[in-house]
């Protein structure tokens, strides 16, 4: 059986993986659902110095402390950045990296850089002088594509439990050491696999690092661990066994 380390995207803690975690453990897998520093039940640790490096250390420290090997390291959305750095720094411990609605940003690029300039300005206006990126309103009318598939209970859960996310996790660029590459897989939800494959072939910065990756489609919104947890668990199980 496999050992999974599940990393949530912005604003969410390990709680977001609860149904996926239960399903995978029911299949005999060992599963660690991570809450990154400064978020959810670790929100009290948030501060201006918390960023991508902190979150990468969260993952490498867990893997070392628990003496984990052959890890299937899963990063959702913004969680793909610390996953990328952790896999780069300890490739001998990682069997495969799975990007869920995410991708391995190239060296020197931050999550903030993915946004067009006008969106960056809007986000910075919301943040002001603070050090936390506030969560969205979780209103389907405002964001129908990303929130597709979420029922009223899941939306209420997101509104109740999401917390501000350390800004440094979005603005610090990914830094690679040149470690040995590990096998990768992509689970694409809000865009067809064919589109992802074309972006990979075109060398799009967000997907260029996925050349040769195993590609899977899961048509739903941006938070499949809440909208389609059973299907996502099936895919992760299939990837791990592959």
């Amino acid at each position: 059986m496999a050992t999974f380390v599940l990393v949530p995207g912005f604003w969410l803690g390990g709680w977001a993986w609860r149904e996926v975690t239960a399903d995978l453990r029911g299949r005999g897998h060992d599963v660690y659902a991570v809450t990154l520093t400064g978020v959810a039940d670790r929100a009290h640790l948030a501060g201006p110095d918390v960023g991508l490096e902190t979150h990468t250390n969260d993952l490498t420290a867990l893997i070392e402390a628990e003496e984990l090997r052959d890890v299937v390291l899963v990063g959702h959305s913004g969680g793909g950045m610390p996953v990328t750095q952790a896999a780069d720094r300890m490739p001998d411990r990682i069997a495969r990296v799975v990007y869920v609605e995410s991708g391995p940003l190239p060296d020197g690029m931050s999550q903030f850089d993915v946004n067009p300039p006008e969106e960056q300005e809007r986000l910075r206006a919301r943040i002001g002088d603070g050090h936390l990126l506030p969560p969205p309103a979780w209103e389907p009318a405002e964001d129908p594509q990303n929130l597709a598939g979420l029922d009223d209970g899941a939306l209420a859960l997101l509104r109740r439990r999401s917390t501000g996310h350390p800004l440094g996790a979005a603005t610090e660029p990914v830094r690679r050491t040149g470690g040995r590459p590990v096998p990768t897989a992509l689970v694409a939800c809000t865009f067809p696999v064919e589109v992802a494959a074309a972006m990979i072939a075109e060398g799009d910065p967000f997907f260029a690092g996925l050349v040769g990756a195993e590609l899977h489609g899961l048509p739903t919104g941006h938070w499949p661990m809440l909208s389609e947890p059973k299907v996502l668990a099936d895919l992760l199980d299939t990837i791990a066994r592959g």
Side-chain angles (χ1 to χ4, degrees):
M1 294 295 100
T3 297
F4 286 93
V5 173
L6 309 178
V7 185
F10 286 3
W11 311 298
L12 311 182
W15 60 264
W17 295 101
R18 185 169 297 165
E19 290 188 54
V20 174
T21 296
D23 191 311
L24 291 174
R25 285 176 177 162
R27 302 170 193 240
H29 299 299
D30 197 12
V31 186
Y32 297 80
V34 176
T35 294
L36 299 170
T37 299
V39 189
D41 56 293
R42 304 185 70 199
H44 61 290
L45 300 175
D49 296 330
V50 175
L52 178 56
E53 188 68 18
T54 314
H55 290 171
T56 302
N57 291 337
D58 287 338
L59 302 183
T60 57
L62 168 68
I63 291 169
E64 289 175 349
E66 295 291 340
E67 299 182 335
L68 306 182
R69 296 191 178 276
D70 297 322
V71 173
V72 179
L73 187 55
V74 182
H76 166 251
S77 190
M81 291 178 297
V83 158
T84 295
Q85 290 198 156
D88 174 75
R89 294 178 188 183
M90 46 176 26
D92 293 341
R93 299 286 192 98
I94 310 300
R96 186 176 301 274
V97 175
V98 183
Y99 293 96
V100 179
E101 283 283 279
S102 187
L105 293 181
D107 186 76
M109 187 175 186
S110 73
Q111 179 73 23
F112 223 68
D113 294 334
V114 175
N115 297 304
E118 59 273 15
E119 178 64 9
Q120 292 185 32
E121 290 181 13
R122 187 189 71 81
L123 290 171
R124 289 197 180 279
R126 286 187 68 199
I127 298 162
D129 295 329
H131 56 78
L132 292 174
L133 186 64
W138 308 112
E139 291 293 344
E142 298 176 8
D143 195 6
Q145 182 180 23
N146 283 326
L147 299 179
L150 297 174
D151 59 22
D152 290 342
L155 290 167
L157 182 67
L158 285 166
R159 294 179 190 125
R160 189 169 67 247
R161 300 201 63 175
S162 60
T163 58
H165 200 88
L167 180 60
T171 57
E172 288 181 22
V174 169
R175 296 298 182 194
R176 297 174 183 263
T177 66
R180 176 179 58 80
V182 300
T184 56
L186 170 69
V187 177
C189 301
T190 55
F191 47 91
V193 168
E194 295 77 15
V195 172
M199 295 173 75
I200 293 168
E202 292 165 3
D204 184 282
F206 198 69
F207 291 118
L210 289 172
V211 172
E214 187 179 336
L215 305 182
H216 298 270
L218 199 177
T220 187
H222 187 63
W223 285 273
M225 70 283 290
L226 297 175
S227 62
E228 292 286 357
K230 175 65 167 62
V231 181
L232 180 57
D234 286 343
L235 278 177
L236 294 177
D237 178 69
T238 298
I239 292 168
R241 294 174 185 274

